[in-house]
Amino acid sequence: MGVARRPGEELMFGETTSDVLQRCRCPVVLISDDRLPRDDARVASRSGTG
């Protein structure tokens, strides 16, 4: 699923993506063309969302 990260302190991809992740029973891959800065990438990998 293509996503765009929304700016802010919390890792957020939008309402549609959140709904899909909550309702889908199968694995979902999120693809973004934006690169995360190194500090953000570490936080995303720890939280299991990146």
Side-chain angles (χ1 to χ4, degrees):
M1 176 174 194
V3 296
R5 182 178 181 201
R6 293 191 174 180
E9 294 284 324
E10 198 173 311
L11 187 57
M12 177 71 169
F13 293 108
E15 195 173 311
T16 301
T17 304
S18 294
D19 285 347
V20 168
L21 291 174
Q22 287 177 356
R23 296 171 191 223
C24 191
R25 294 183 180 178
C26 63
V28 176
V29 176
L30 303 179
I31 309 263
S32 176
D33 61 353
D34 292 334
R35 292 188 130 197
L36 292 174
R38 181 166 264 215
D39 288 341
D40 287 348
R42 276 190 241 139
V43 169
S45 66
R46 276 191 232 132
S47 66
T49 58

